[in-house]
Amino acid sequence: MSSPVGSVPPGAPEAPGGTSAMDALLLAMVQMRASDLHVSSGTAPQVRHDGEMKPVPGAPVLAAADAERLLLSIAPPRACEEFVRRRDADFAYEIAGVARFRANLFVDRKGAGGVLRVIPSAILTAESLGLSPEVLELCRVPKGLVLVTGPTGSGKSTTLCALIDYINRHRADHIITIEDPLEFVHENKQCLVNQRQVGDHTNSFRDALRAALREDPDVVLVGELRDLETMAMAIETAETGHLVFSTLHTTDVGATIARITDSFPAERQPTIRQEVAAALSAVFVQTLLPRQAGGRVAAAELLMVGYGARQHIRRNALHHLHQEIAITRKQGSFSLEECLARLVKDGVVRSL
């Protein structure tokens, strides 16, 4: 590094343009129809386009001081302080009329870096995403925990946004979202929507969930189940008669349940399995595949949790959950294999 993080010395060369330069990179990413912008010390900025890393045309190699100044030029004061203190920070940034961006700043061996993911200003609706009738049934579940899972970059946030928007347009409820950072902005339609950002509007997911129980919600969106306290509060909120949506970075139904239960101490796990079995309503797992015509398309599986799945969860027989997908097909469940076969048959993706 040419300077310690958070303390670029006076007289250091100016970054290529400050905020306007950062906006120019973000605009270039949007124009390239890329999903993420990567800014790293010692290299030129790159974007992720259709799953692959590509350089931003004409962008120069950034020295460590330049990369840091460029990234901090768009960070709010709280994020700047957090970056100096913790060496990483999360925040949201918006270019009016273009898009919002979810940003993560970090430090590696070469200096400051950041990844910014584009969040379209216009909400992608369930109809525009082509969500199936089975998936839209998740919006009509009266209560319980609904988990949308998948690897990083699999479109979980976009799917959750579409589901919340569908509820907002078709139900007359009170929706509370708890996010870090706040990504998609939902205006009131048929529902009243309150959106809270961790760090700005509440100290933690746990605190916001505890408060939500006193705020008369019908639907609660928790941006991510990051720790066991947040998991425990989300389960409790679902058990008390609310519809709770959240995400986990897991790749199949069984792994999703295991991630939750294994987060707790061994002596608590039998109790947590009972609580998860009672609270869980559905698990939707998705991933993105290259589309033959360009871009990417989601492949997914859905388990609507019924009596059999609850018994398997209670007994920790998670290897049987995949069988429950076939058993509960009439209730809306479908497997990843079925989804892939349909995408290949329709010519959307190539046969693997």
Side-chain angles (χ1 to χ4, degrees):
M1 291 181 60
S2 60
S3 63
V5 172
S7 56
V8 179
E14 285 293 320
T19 302
S20 61
M22 194 69 221
D23 284 358
L25 286 173
L26 293 170
L27 287 168
M29 172 178 65
V30 172
Q31 290 167 358
M32 294 173 71
R33 299 184 180 275
S35 60
D36 300 85
L37 171 68
H38 291 250
V39 176
S40 298
S41 297
T43 190
Q46 300 185 45
V47 298
R48 184 175 294 279
H49 183 271
D50 289 348
E52 297 182 353
M53 299 299 296
K54 298 180 179 179
V56 176
V61 172
L62 297 172
D66 295 338
E68 181 177 333
R69 187 179 285 107
L70 193 64
L71 291 164
L72 292 182
S73 71
I74 63 169
R78 178 183 64 83
C80 291
E81 184 277 330
E82 186 178 7
F83 181 66
V84 171
R85 177 170 49 86
R86 296 179 49 193
R87 298 299 189 261
D88 56 51
D90 294 305
F91 62 92
Y93 179 69
E94 182 173 9
I95 299 178
V98 177
R100 287 171 57 82
F101 304 88
R102 184 182 70 200
N104 172 263
L105 308 188
F106 61 89
V107 177
D108 70 3
R109 65 185 179 86
K110 294 182 180 179
V115 180
L116 295 98
R117 173 159 296 176
V118 63
I119 305 166
S121 295
I123 289 177
L124 295 174
T125 65
E127 294 82 0
S128 66
L129 288 178
L131 296 182
S132 67
E134 294 87 353
V135 177
L136 292 182
E137 281 300 313
L138 299 177
C139 300
R140 301 183 178 93
V141 173
K143 63 180 180 180
L145 179 62
V146 174
L147 296 175
V148 177
T149 78
T152 300
S154 60
K156 298 184 296 295
S157 296
T158 301
T159 296
L160 269 178
C161 170
L163 294 176
I164 293 299
D165 175 70
Y166 190 87
I167 292 172
N168 194 12
R169 290 186 285 121
H170 292 88
R171 292 171 57 164
D173 288 333
H174 179 203
I175 301 171
I176 295 176
T177 78
I178 307 164
E179 304 170 73
D180 182 21
L182 195 155
E183 297 186 359
F184 296 93
V185 176
H186 295 272
E187 301 296 342
N188 296 340
K189 295 176 182 176
Q190 295 297 321
C191 292
L192 170 65
V193 185
N194 293 123
Q195 296 187 261
R196 306 188 70 191
Q197 179 167 293
V198 174
D200 287 344
H201 312 132
T202 180
N203 289 330
S204 66
F205 283 108
R206 178 197 59 199
D207 290 349
L209 272 168
R210 182 176 291 112
L213 292 174
R214 302 188 294 271
E215 293 163 0
D216 188 34
D218 300 288
V219 180
V220 180
L221 167 65
V222 184
E224 185 180 347
L225 299 182
R226 292 184 176 177
D227 53 62
L228 65 87
E229 291 178 325
T230 303
M231 291 177 185
M233 283 300 305
I235 293 167
E236 179 184 343
T237 304
E239 285 186 301
T240 54
H242 304 88
L243 177 56
V244 179
F245 288 90
S246 193
T247 68
L248 279 171
H249 296 288
T250 50
T251 55
D252 62 59
V253 172
T256 298
I257 309 304
R259 173 68 62 83
I260 295 175
T261 57
D262 292 351
S263 298
F264 291 82
E267 63 273 14
R268 289 188 62 186
Q269 289 180 13
T271 301
I272 291 299
R273 280 195 287 271
Q274 298 293 322
E275 293 178 1
V276 170
L280 192 64
S281 290
V283 180
F284 180 66
V285 185
Q286 73 176 47
T287 188
L288 294 179
L289 300 174
R291 187 192 296 267
Q292 285 216 65
R296 293 190 288 174
V297 63
E301 70 181 12
L302 172 64
L303 171 64
M304 299 300 294
V305 177
Y307 175 80
R310 298 187 199 283
Q311 291 298 98
H312 294 319
I313 294 170
R314 292 187 179 103
R315 297 167 183 163
N316 200 28
L318 303 183
H319 56 286
H320 289 308
L321 288 176
H322 195 72
Q323 301 170 12
E324 286 298 311
I325 293 176
I327 294 171
T328 57
R329 188 172 287 111
K330 288 185 178 180
Q331 285 71 49
S333 301
F334 58 86
S335 69
L336 179 62
E337 291 80 5
E338 292 174 285
C339 184
L340 289 172
R342 184 170 62 251
L343 291 172
V344 171
K345 180 181 178 182
D346 294 343
V348 179
V349 300
R350 293 186 179 89
S351 179
L352 301 178

